[in-house]
Amino acid sequence: MGIIIKSEPEITAMRQAGKIVATVLEALRLQMKPGMKTEELDVIAAREVTKLGAKPSFKGYRGFPANLCVSVNDEIVHGIPGGRVLREDDIISIDFGSIFHGFQGDAAITVGMGHISPEAQRLITTTDGALKAGIAAVRHGARVGDISAAIQHYAEERGYSVVREYTGHGIGRAMHEEPQVPNFGLPGEGPMLKKGMALAIEPMVNIGDWRTTLGDNNWTVSTSDGSLSAHFEHTIAVTNGEAEVLTAL
Ligand code: MG
């Protein structure tokens, strides 16, 4: 299939999808608190996205059973909302995608519940910073490896590891398009970035080792060493200048 370059009207549609994702994540961020069950976040996400006239894109994707992914503490990505109760000191990664007028948006944030440890806060801040560093490497004519290297360097310089088995991705009419956008790599390598490409950039950063373990439900991915993990993601468009973040509020 190859890398799909979007026209300006297509990027406009992706802006709308992205804005919806950002709005839903912000509603979740404001409403989530200790004592809630993770399945309550799923209900909020479904309600908010419907209110905005869009559809959640994860539900049914390869059989995924929920509207969003909720990954707690050592869980990295693809956690399934359920009966688990959010507790003070937990860090919660929420990943949400929506489809609007045929185009996808995809973004994630990690939120601390109440007073979290300085170590957990530093992990969250660093992962957010790694995403910003990756986005800052995006420009017409750069390479995917420039994004990967920027993310890896930012996280590893601060003593963390980046997850290797799950990556960012191209995005458009499909949630996952080419190219893959790994969170580790070398500058100057990989496909060239061109104006009109849309990418979901999504560092997953661990306090401990980068290795991951897949849960018994065949979805939830956790750190193999049980260390905390955080996840931030934006959908961006490559322009002639700085990247345009499509999933910003
Ligand atoms: Mg994604």
Side-chain angles (χ1 to χ4, degrees):
M1 188 168 71
I3 295 171
I4 299 168
I5 302 293
K6 279 82 184 175
S7 66
E8 190 49 40
E10 288 173 325
I11 294 290
T12 300
M14 291 195 71
R15 257 178 218 126
Q16 295 174 303
K19 185 78 78 180
I20 287 165
V21 170
T23 304
V24 172
L25 283 175
E26 179 64 4
L28 286 160
R29 191 182 69 77
L30 292 173
Q31 291 178 57
M32 59 200 294
K33 54 179 184 290
M36 286 174 90
K37 290 180 178 161
T38 57
E39 65 198 7
E40 292 178 64
L41 303 180
D42 194 62
V43 172
I44 293 169
R47 189 176 60 219
E48 294 296 325
V49 76
T50 304
K51 224 193 273 180
L52 295 164
K55 285 208 171 78
S57 53
F58 296 175
K59 192 154 195 173
Y61 182 83
R62 294 186 182 172
F64 189 76
N67 297 296
L68 82 165
C69 301
V70 183
S71 307
V72 182
N73 294 337
D74 61 313
E75 295 171 355
I76 301 167
V77 283
H78 306 162
I80 300 172
R84 183 167 183 170
V85 176
L86 304 182
R87 294 166 57 173
E88 180 97 11
D89 201 38
D90 281 343
I91 65 168
I92 319 296
S93 298
I94 49 176
D95 188 349
F96 183 71
S98 123
I99 182 158
F100 186 73
H101 291 174
F103 283 91
Q104 304 266 346
D106 189 2
I109 56 174
T110 299
V111 180
M113 289 294 95
H115 294 285
I116 60 173
S117 69
E119 293 75 20
Q121 186 54 58
R122 185 170 174 271
L123 172 69
I124 290 174
T125 305
T126 300
T127 310
D128 189 30
L131 173 58
K132 292 189 170 91
I135 293 172
V138 174
R139 62 191 155 71
H140 180 86
R143 299 272 176 176
V144 169
D146 297 336
I147 303 172
S148 307
I151 290 169
Q152 180 178 19
H153 177 74
Y154 190 94
E156 291 185 350
E157 195 182 39
R158 287 161 179 79
Y160 299 116
S161 66
V162 290
V163 169
R164 301 184 176 219
E165 292 131 321
Y166 301 88
T167 70
H169 47 92
I171 181 168
R173 289 190 183 275
M175 182 159 48
H176 294 119
E177 294 183 354
E178 288 181 41
Q180 282 200 350
V181 185
N183 296 307
F184 67 102
L186 296 172
E189 293 199 342
M192 188 176 284
L193 304 177
K194 295 193 175 127
K195 180 178 184 307
M197 283 171 62
L199 305 172
I201 301 176
E202 48 176 323
M204 293 150 247
V205 176
N206 302 344
I207 284 185
D209 189 83
W210 57 265
R211 286 174 183 79
T212 69
T213 301
L214 185 63
D216 291 337
N217 64 14
N218 270 321
W219 278 108
T220 311
V221 178
S222 301
T223 58
S224 294
D225 63 7
S227 68
L228 290 179
S229 184
H231 179 209
F232 280 82
E233 175 179 23
H234 269 310
T235 298
I236 64 96
V238 181
T239 73
N240 279 328
E242 286 180 9
E244 178 182 352
V245 178
L246 302 174
T247 44
L249 268 183

